[in-house]
Amino acid sequence: MHRLGGVGLAAFDRQRESQRSFAELSTELSKTQIDHLHTQLTQFRSALTHFASTHRDSIRKDPTFRHAFQQMCSSIGVDPLAGPRKGGWWAEMLGMGDWQHELGVQIVDVCVSTRERNGGVIELGELVRMVSKLRGVESGVVTEEDVVRSIKTLQPLGAGYEVIDVGNGKKIVRSVVKELDEDQATVLAEAQAEGGRIVEEILVTRRGWTRERARTALENMLLRDGLCWLDAQDEQHGKAYWVPSAMSWDE
Amino acid sequence: MQLTTHTTPSGFLLPSIHAAHAFFTEQPNPITQNTFVNNWIQLILSYARHRRLFVIRVEDAEVAGGDWDEVLRNERINRRVIPSYLTSLISAMVSRDLAYYEPPKQTRSVVLLWRLPEEWADVLHSWGTATGQINTILTMYEITDPPVPSPLSGIPLSLLRRAITVLTRSGRAQLIEVADGEGVRLLAGGK
């Protein structure tokens, strides 16, 4: 009677022998696959390098192209802006990291230099406009998206830069470590709609606030936070508040 | 709203903050107020320099039609500096040595120091040198109201005296009694 592998002590040896052969074969197969992957990766990398070096200028200069490029990167799970720790070569290749960090520095510059008059809150569009002015480029070259992304790269610094959505499609950038409560965000949104001017009545009629609540929110912003200014010569109400971050400054 | 700079009929460029309604109200928040005061002082002094105005009075905020309307009023947004605000701006300038009450012992009128007395002293000495009047005895009137307009034309007497004091201290001028009052003799020599 012949069983597969046979019987007796010799069968143990034979089995060990075949297991070793299988293991060898598997190692060999894995190695081939890894080699193959390495080749593919190298190809991918060189293709990307080629793409990056070819389109480097367009990426830096053309906002539409940059947007498309960012989308492509996020869809394939590559972060072109990842700092020196991860994906460093990628940022290096594009010079994109530099561009973004440089923009970050300019954002900080604008936020700090206007803080005295706006209390550390600036409208996103206004920030974009002032950064563009600082860079000496025409509007549209730096987009809101670029600025928001740069602000994200500032986060590890712990300076408290944050983009806040105040509704009505308006976004503001806060550059002070200070909590904006919900009422203040509402006041900012209404002031945006009014070109900066805000009075108790607007909050009472449009938002259904009590007069007390409106007054408290406005007085806190005026006295405690320095986020708005007082105008004691208002034609309609005698007293109005102006939110400098909702006003457009030309200088 | 858009805050823009504005050129006045006299050719002065008003900063954009002058188009902000609240700029014309004294602010209850001390940090904001400090910013506003800095802006106001800078504005007042540069306008004074632009138009060679030496004096500002609380009256300038009380009645329209004076030299200061272009700055103290903004007709485009219907705002003006009220007299009590101007009083406090004036006092801030005095405390920063950028103006002094003239006459003394009142707080409604000041001489503006858009040049400090030390700077006026240099202006006076260079003018004397350039016009060949070193060692000549000059009356105050000859300096404040020279036949050929000079950088010192119209300078208030009190300010001229301060400038001369600076010069006498450094040996560049001498005060001299003359028949109808006093005069000054500018002396050559370095500082």
Side-chain angles (χ1 to χ4, degrees), chain A:
Chain A
M1 192 164 109
H2 286 89
R3 258 188 253 162
L4 189 62
V7 288
L9 280 174
F12 288 115
D13 285 342
R14 257 200 305 279
Q15 200 175 346
R16 219 172 9 243
E17 191 63 38
S18 63
Q19 266 175 353
R20 197 168 41 234
S21 309
F22 278 127
E24 266 170 26
L25 185 62
S26 126
T27 319
E28 206 168 307
L29 276 175
S30 310
K31 201 173 162 294
T32 334
Q33 274 179 331
I34 289 171
D35 281 348
H36 187 57
L37 273 176
H38 268 301
T39 332
Q40 278 190 324
L41 196 64
T42 317
Q43 273 180 348
F44 180 62
R45 193 174 281 219
S46 71
L48 272 182
T49 312
H50 180 68
F51 181 85
S53 55
T54 317
H55 298 289
R56 186 184 159 122
D57 279 352
S58 312
I59 290 170
R60 286 170 68 113
K61 284 187 191 128
D62 181 354
T64 329
F65 194 89
R66 187 161 61 239
H67 176 76
F69 179 71
Q70 295 285 353
Q71 280 198 320
M72 181 189 86
C73 286
S74 69
S75 69
I76 58 172
V78 177
D79 181 2
L81 298 176
R85 252 180 325 122
K86 38 177 184 169
W89 72 273
W90 188 213
E92 214 174 280
M93 197 52 65
L94 280 175
M96 194 70 183
D98 285 352
W99 191 86
Q100 207 78 43
H101 293 315
E102 192 182 287
L103 189 61
V105 170
Q106 284 158 337
I107 288 168
V108 172
D109 189 347
V110 169
C111 285
V112 170
S113 63
T114 58
R115 191 176 288 168
E116 207 178 43
R117 72 172 182 220
N118 60 27
V121 173
I122 188 164
E123 201 255 321
L124 185 56
E126 176 74 1
L127 178 59
V128 170
R129 209 178 58 81
M130 294 197 63
V131 167
S132 303
K133 200 156 191 176
L134 197 65
R135 296 181 76 93
V137 293
E138 284 161 37
S139 58
V141 175
V142 176
T143 64
E144 294 199 352
E145 191 192 322
D146 295 328
V147 169
V148 170
R149 200 175 310 110
S150 271
I151 289 172
K152 280 193 191 133
T153 68
L154 295 174
Q155 249 157 16
L157 299 177
Y161 283 69
E162 202 187 340
V163 183
I164 300 166
D165 200 329
V166 293
N168 301 340
K170 287 280 184 182
K171 290 198 177 101
I172 56 167
V173 177
R174 194 198 59 186
S175 65
V176 280
V177 186
K178 197 189 288 178
E179 275 309 309
L180 271 187
D181 61 43
E182 224 169 275
D183 280 7
Q184 292 185 332
T186 306
V187 171
L188 290 177
E190 288 294 341
Q192 290 284 358
E194 292 290 315
R197 178 176 170 275
I198 186 83
V199 291
E200 285 171 23
E201 274 69 16
I202 291 179
L203 296 166
V204 171
T205 53
R206 286 197 207 152
R207 298 279 176 157
W209 287 11
T210 62
R211 191 158 290 274
E212 194 53 42
R213 180 179 174 189
R215 184 176 309 137
T216 308
L218 289 170
E219 288 291 307
N220 275 341
M221 288 175 77
L222 177 70
L223 298 171
R224 190 188 61 196
D225 307 322
L227 288 177
C228 63
W229 297 345
L230 180 69
D231 171 22
Q233 298 176 43
D234 189 69
E235 288 85 351
Q236 229 183 326
H237 299 285
K239 180 175 171 182
Y241 300 81
W242 284 84
V243 179
S245 55
M247 295 153 44
S248 169
W249 294 79
D250 181 44
E251 56 196 327

Side-chain angles (χ1 to χ4, degrees), chain B residues 81-158:
Chain B
V81 172
I82 59 168
S84 66
Y85 193 7
L86 184 56
T87 307
S88 86
L89 289 173
I90 283 176
S91 120
M93 282 192 281
V94 171
S95 69
R96 295 183 197 185
D97 285 329
L98 295 171
Y100 61 87
Y101 290 118
E102 176 64 32
K105 293 181 183 129
Q106 53 79 47
T107 54
R108 289 181 55 85
S109 164
V110 284
V111 168
L112 297 166
L113 296 176
W114 39 272
R115 278 197 186 114
L116 296 173
E118 294 74 22
E119 295 169 312
W120 280 115
D122 289 338
V123 172
L124 171 59
H125 199 267
S126 336
W127 170 75
T129 311
T131 52
Q133 305 194 78
I134 297 293
N135 291 325
T136 318
I137 296 173
L138 295 159
T139 63
M140 296 298 182
Y141 182 75
E142 281 171 316
I143 298 172
T144 63
D145 204 357
V148 180
S150 83
L152 293 121
S153 296
I155 188 172
L157 208 52
S158 61

Side-chain angles (χ1 to χ4, degrees), chain A residues 250, chain B residues 4-16 18-19 47 50 70-71 74 76:
Chain A
D250 181 44
Chain B
T4 53
T5 55
H6 178 75
T7 307
T8 68
S10 79
F12 183 73
L13 184 70
L14 289 166
S16 51
H18 195 262
Y47 186 74
H50 167 74
E70 288 183 347
V71 165
N74 185 341
R76 289 165 293 131

